Amino acid sequence: MQKRTLYIGNLAYTAVEEDLEQAFESFGVIEDIKLMRDRETDRSRGFAFITFEKEAEAEAARAMDGKEVAGRPIRVNDARQKQSGQREPAQRQPKSFNNFNL
């Protein structure tokens, strides 16, 4: 069996890791919970990733899609692998002042 990570979206900004653990622990062994937080306020950014020890446990946990956690109906999907080079920086145009390009 292989580990599997789920994306949990539409979380309340007041949600904490314990809310997710309580909601998902009945489906199997949770290896990791990563609640994404705002750097400045430390509050939830509204999404998280939960890694289950077994694929079958994660598949069962997908039943939580649309269920309420911390006061909001959540979205549960398979997490996608981040691909290197996925996002390219936008090309910046040179600034111009008085019709002169710098």
Side-chain angles (χ1 to χ4, degrees):
M1 289 284 161
Q2 198 172 12
K3 298 175 194 176
R4 187 157 149 202
T5 302
L6 297 176
Y7 166 84
I8 314 300
N10 200 43
L11 283 171
Y13 294 123
T14 58
V16 293
E17 287 84 350
E18 290 78 18
D19 295 328
L20 293 168
E21 186 174 8
Q22 288 175 1
F24 286 89
E25 67 187 351
S26 64
F27 294 100
V29 177
I30 297 173
E31 187 169 289
D32 188 35
I33 297 175
K34 289 185 179 165
L35 177 64
M36 307 315 284
R37 296 180 175 275
D38 183 271
R39 290 181 200 171
E40 293 179 18
T41 64
D42 199 39
R43 76 175 188 172
S44 166
R45 291 182 56 204
F47 67 100
F49 297 93
I50 299 178
T51 302
F52 283 89
E53 199 171 85
K54 298 178 182 171
E55 283 189 55
E57 296 169 344
E59 187 61 37
R62 291 198 54 182
M64 288 294 293
D65 187 47
K67 304 288 190 229
E68 196 171 290
V69 173
R72 290 186 71 176
I74 61 170
R75 293 273 136 232
V76 180
N77 297 299
D78 287 329
R80 291 183 278 166
Q81 291 285 330
K82 185 176 182 180
Q83 297 177 5
S84 62
Q86 186 175 6
R87 192 189 296 179
E88 292 185 28
Q91 293 290 330
R92 291 186 70 186
Q93 295 296 321
K95 293 183 181 182
S96 66
F97 298 97
N98 298 328
N99 297 325
F100 293 102
N101 286 332
L102 299 178

